[in-house]
Amino acid sequence: MKIPYLYSFRISGIIYFWRMIPKRKQFFSYIIITFLIVFSCQKKSIIIKNEANNNTEVNRLILVADNYFKKNKFDSAFFYYNETVFICSPTQDPENYVSALTRMASIQQNHEDYAGSETTITKALPYLKLVKNQLNIWNLYTTLGVNYLNTFDYKNALLYHKKALQLNVTPNKKLASKNNIGEVLMQSRKFYEALDLFLPLENNKKIIADQKFYSCLLDNIGLCYHEIDNYDSSLDYLSRSLEIREKLKIPNELGKSYIHLAQLYELKNPSLAKKYMILSYKEFNKGNYIEGRLSALKMIIKNSSGTELRTNSDIYINLVDSTYEVTQKAKNQFARIKYDSKREKEENLRLKTHKAENELKLERQKNRNIISYIIIVLSLCLILILYYYLTSKANREKIEAAYNSETRISKKLHDELANDIYHTMAFAENKNLSLAENKEQLLNNLDAIYSRTRDISKENCTIITDQNYISSLKEMISGFSTLNINLILNGLDNISWNEVDKNKKITIYRVLQELLVNMRKYSNASLVGINFKQTEKNILINYTDNGKGIDTEKIIFKNGLYNVENRIHKIKGQIDISSSPNNGFKVFIKLPI
């Protein structure tokens, strides 16, 4: 006997970092960060929108499918559940995915396509661990259990009904699972075990309240007693079940009670048994329960003869043929729905793939454009930052140079003029200036002060770099010539000064000035030679004096000599100092044109 399906369904760190950025640069950083945030939010909003649209369509399809399922329009319901499965993500929306597959399997099961039902529902098994709704899992396990029962795999049927019983579901679902387990035990002819399960349920108030379920329980208990040859108990329970079902007036349920009573009376009261067989067939015919009609016809044929036997046999054969045809059509119909949906999906997938490729190309182009914009913005920001940095550095260097120049002038004024002026003033106060010799001494002192003041002025004045550069340079050099110091200058007029950079002219002027100042202060030289020479790419300058010289191994570049070294290196030039004590002082300078 086939068993029907029962109850089947970090903020602080960011703020600190931002405050560490100089305020002038925060504006550019703000532009970049805002641009990136807007771009990422745009992509995120697109993803969220697509997911929301997909969820809306899934919910719409399930609602349509459920309406068809309630109206017993199973082919339409199957179609829309199948559409749901195709667009539903099993990982993102496992509840709807598993529920839709379970309903599809249930429809196939009701059309006796047990193999197809099992194939459909097993697709949902890998995603059960993601399902939180225990009812969806219960429906799946129960559907699998019924499939295995109807294919005579009692071991697996019992396994899945027991799994369903262990779930956290409503009491009614647990009672249904117990009843399903009992029916599996009955089909596997373990009638005593089935009774041990059924009998405690008989007095359950919730079961009694559900008259349809209660009548089914009483009917199952009666069948068990019949199979173990307990006639009186079997008759009692089957009669009580029939009494309830006659009140409910459900044709298929009445048909089951009549056929079970026919089985009970078949040996002891054949005429009464045949009466119940005929009643059973009529009720199953009302409910269009083909399997029940076939079972009733089998018993009628077994207890018929002559014309009645032939008539009933013809009806049975025609019913079997039509049943097979209907069942096969149903199987083919569901298979065709799946196939058509799969083919349509593949075609849509090809179209979507083509569309996705085009969108991907556009997205890549868009990304390339965005990256280009980012690179351009970054480059502009870096250029502005670099410009700001270099400008600031140049300003700092100018300020530092001005400070050093002021410090040097102040030191010169203090060391070279202040003391001389003080001594001259003291001389004028303490000496009789009416005497010729005192007056002459005062004039000589004032002339020396004037000469030093003029030298300091020349050292810090603006340097002429135009066509008068040679004259200015000669004038500066000749200013260091005295009665005790002879200066020899060679090759100055042979240099193409118009081709020389302005900064290099200033550097040459200041370097020679520093060397001559150091010469007059420290070397006690009487002869100085400066020789200029131009090659294809360089200007060569040789400075020589016959002063007391220095020890080059112990030389420390500071003050004037440090300035000479630093100035030459700044214009990518080379300098070589050659000297020893009491052997004069030599400097070789090489500058690129």
Side-chain angles (χ1 to χ4, degrees):
M1 182 182 67
K2 304 271 178 81
I3 305 300
Y5 178 7
L6 300 172
Y7 297 86
S8 62
F9 227 72
R10 308 181 188 185
I11 300 302
S12 59
I14 296 172
I15 294 172
Y16 175 77
F17 174 76
W18 180 258
R19 288 176 176 173
M20 293 296 291
I21 302 175
K23 288 187 176 180
R24 288 186 180 89
K25 300 176 185 177
Q26 284 182 3
F27 174 72
F28 305 111
S29 302
Y30 174 78
I31 292 173
I32 297 168
I33 293 170
T34 303
F35 185 78
L36 294 174
I37 290 172
V38 170
F39 176 64
S40 63
C41 288
Q42 182 183 9
K43 294 190 79 174
K44 186 176 181 181
S45 66
I46 291 170
I47 293 170
I48 293 172
K49 186 177 179 181
N50 289 337
E51 289 181 356
N53 290 339
N54 190 62
N55 290 338
T56 302
E57 180 63 13
V58 167
N59 292 331
R60 185 189 72 81
L61 289 172
I62 287 180
L63 183 62
V64 173
D66 287 344
N67 287 333
Y68 280 121
F69 188 87
K70 291 174 183 176
K71 295 175 183 178
N72 295 329
K73 295 181 179 181
F74 297 116
D75 53 346
S76 298
F78 189 90
F79 173 81
Y80 283 103
Y81 284 129
N82 194 50
E83 290 294 305
T84 302
V85 169
F86 275 135
I87 68 168
C88 186
S89 170
T91 54
Q92 298 296 326
D93 190 6
E95 304 287 350
N96 284 329
Y97 183 79
V98 170
S99 177
L101 283 173
T102 304
R103 279 294 177 93
M104 289 171 65
S106 173
I107 292 170
Q108 289 174 288
Q109 183 184 93
N110 289 340
H111 289 79
E112 300 183 14
D113 183 11
Y114 303 115
S117 176
E118 183 181 355
T119 301
T120 299
I121 204 166
T122 49
K123 293 179 182 178
L125 290 176
Y127 305 102
L128 280 186
K129 59 184 178 182
L130 303 176
V131 176
K132 296 180 180 179
N133 189 341
Q134 297 281 286
L135 180 59
N136 286 336
I137 302 175
W138 187 89
N139 286 332
L140 186 144
Y141 284 156
T142 302
T143 303
L144 266 175
V146 173
N147 275 337
Y148 285 125
L149 176 62
N150 285 286
T151 53
F152 311 106
D153 187 351
Y154 303 125
K155 181 179 179 182
N156 278 321
L158 196 61
L159 171 67
Y160 280 101
H161 283 310
K162 285 183 177 180
K163 281 187 174 184
L165 181 62
Q166 293 171 0
L167 294 173
N168 184 20
V169 290
T170 61
N172 287 338
K173 296 298 181 186
K174 286 186 174 292
L175 292 173
S177 293
K178 288 182 179 180
N179 188 70
N180 291 338
I181 292 170
E183 291 179 342
V184 174
L185 293 172
M186 286 173 59
Q187 290 295 306
S188 55
R189 305 198 64 78
K190 297 178 180 179
F191 300 109
Y192 288 102
E193 292 180 30
L195 283 172
D196 290 338
L197 186 64
F198 285 139
L199 289 174
L201 301 177
E202 182 183 354
N203 297 320
N204 189 294
K205 293 181 180 180
K206 290 185 178 180
I207 293 178
I208 295 172
D210 187 345
Q211 289 288 284
K212 181 180 176 182
F213 187 86
Y214 186 54
S215 67
C216 181
L217 175 66
L218 295 176
D219 190 68
N220 285 336
I221 294 172
L223 283 176
C224 288
Y225 278 127
H226 171 63
E227 294 293 339
I228 61 174
D229 296 329
N230 189 334
Y231 178 83
D232 293 333
S233 295
S234 176
L235 179 59
D236 177 54
Y237 279 97
L238 290 176
S239 298
R240 288 164 59 191
S241 175
L242 176 61
E243 184 180 352
I244 295 171
R245 285 173 170 174
E246 283 177 339
K247 293 178 182 178
L248 296 175
K249 296 181 179 180
I250 301 173
N252 289 339
E253 299 300 318
L254 276 171
K256 291 174 187 177
S257 286
Y258 289 143
I259 199 168
H260 294 158
L261 284 169
Q263 291 171 354
L264 180 67
Y265 287 123
E266 189 174 12
L267 295 177
K268 293 191 175 183
N269 192 345
S271 59
L272 184 58
K274 192 165 185 180
K275 173 188 173 183
Y276 282 123
M277 293 175 199
I278 295 170
L279 287 173
S280 172
Y281 179 77
K282 288 179 180 179
E283 293 298 328
F284 285 139
N285 203 34
K286 288 179 185 178
N288 197 24
Y289 182 29
I290 296 174
E291 186 179 350
R293 289 165 64 188
L294 290 172
S295 298
L297 279 172
K298 277 185 183 180
M299 294 188 70
I300 292 171
I301 290 169
K302 184 180 177 182
N303 292 277
S304 300
S305 60
T307 304
E308 185 184 9
L309 175 61
R310 176 175 292 183
T311 302
N312 290 327
S313 297
D314 290 338
I315 294 172
Y316 182 82
I317 293 170
N318 292 331
L319 186 58
V320 168
D321 290 341
S322 62
T323 301
Y324 175 79
E325 185 178 352
V326 170
T327 303
Q328 197 60 40
K329 281 182 178 180
K331 291 180 180 179
N332 293 339
Q333 181 183 20
F334 297 138
R336 186 171 61 255
I337 290 173
K338 281 188 173 183
Y339 174 76
D340 291 343
S341 297
K342 183 179 180 182
R343 185 175 62 182
E344 183 181 354
K345 181 185 178 183
E346 289 174 351
E347 183 63 28
N348 289 336
L349 187 60
R350 281 195 294 270
L351 294 173
K352 286 180 181 179
T353 302
H354 182 68
K355 182 180 178 183
E357 288 175 354
N358 292 333
E359 289 178 351
L360 183 60
K361 290 178 181 178
L362 293 174
E363 188 67 24
R364 284 176 178 172
Q365 183 62 41
K366 182 180 177 182
N367 290 339
R368 281 196 291 268
N369 293 338
I370 290 171
I371 291 170
S372 300
Y373 297 149
I374 292 174
I375 291 172
I376 291 170
V377 171
L378 287 174
S379 300
L380 290 174
C381 292
L382 288 174
I383 290 170
L384 290 172
I385 292 170
L386 184 60
Y387 172 77
Y388 169 78
Y389 171 75
L390 293 176
T391 304
S392 300
K393 183 180 179 183
N395 290 334
R396 286 196 303 270
E397 288 178 351
K398 285 181 181 179
I399 293 170
E400 186 178 352
Y403 173 77
N404 292 335
S405 178
E406 290 171 358
T407 303
R408 186 172 65 254
I409 294 170
S410 176
K411 189 173 184 302
K412 281 181 176 288
L413 290 173
H414 179 271
D415 294 345
E416 299 181 15
L417 294 180
N419 290 334
D420 290 346
I421 292 172
Y422 175 77
H423 289 305
T424 301
M425 291 172 62
F427 180 83
E429 290 176 356
N430 298 321
K431 299 293 182 181
N432 185 1
L433 298 180
S434 60
L435 297 174
E437 58 182 10
N438 290 339
K439 185 177 180 180
E440 182 68 21
Q441 181 65 32
L442 178 61
L443 291 173
N444 289 336
N445 289 343
L446 291 173
D447 183 63
I449 291 170
Y450 170 73
S451 296
R452 290 188 180 183
T453 304
R454 184 184 62 186
D455 291 342
I456 292 171
S457 175
K458 286 182 179 181
E459 286 180 20
N460 297 279
C461 67
T462 303
I463 298 171
I464 298 170
T465 57
D466 56 13
Q467 63 270 16
N468 296 320
Y469 175 73
I470 297 177
S471 300
S472 176
L473 185 59
K474 284 181 178 180
E475 183 182 352
M476 183 274 293
I477 293 172
S478 63
F480 289 91
S481 179
T482 65
L483 294 174
N484 298 323
I485 301 173
N486 292 319
L487 281 167
I488 301 173
L489 189 61
N490 291 320
L492 181 61
D493 296 323
N494 297 329
I495 305 297
S496 302
W497 292 106
N498 292 332
E499 299 177 2
V500 179
D501 181 70
K502 175 183 175 180
N503 291 328
K504 292 178 181 177
K505 289 180 182 181
I506 295 172
T507 299
I508 292 171
Y509 187 100
R510 291 299 185 194
V511 165
L512 291 176
Q513 190 178 46
E514 292 284 357
L515 290 174
L516 290 170
V517 169
N518 285 334
M519 175 273 299
R520 191 168 66 178
K521 283 184 178 180
Y522 307 116
S523 69
N524 297 325
S526 59
L527 180 64
V528 178
I530 303 175
N531 183 51
F532 289 85
K533 183 180 179 180
Q534 181 175 344
T535 64
E536 185 179 352
K537 295 182 179 180
N538 300 292
I539 295 175
L540 307 178
I541 302 173
N542 280 295
Y543 170 89
T544 308
D545 68 39
N546 63 348
K548 60 184 180 181
I550 58 175
D551 187 351
T552 55
E553 293 182 359
K554 298 180 180 179
I555 186 172
I556 300 174
F557 289 107
K558 55 186 177 181
N559 299 335
L561 290 180
Y562 174 79
N563 288 335
V564 170
E565 172 88 2
N566 193 35
R567 290 179 190 274
I568 296 299
H569 287 163
K570 277 188 176 181
I571 59 172
K572 309 300 180 183
Q574 300 175 13
I575 183 170
D576 181 48
I577 298 174
S578 176
S579 179
S580 60
N582 302 317
N583 286 323
F585 187 74
K586 296 178 181 179
V587 178
F588 171 74
I589 299 171
K590 182 179 179 181
L591 301 173
I593 296 177

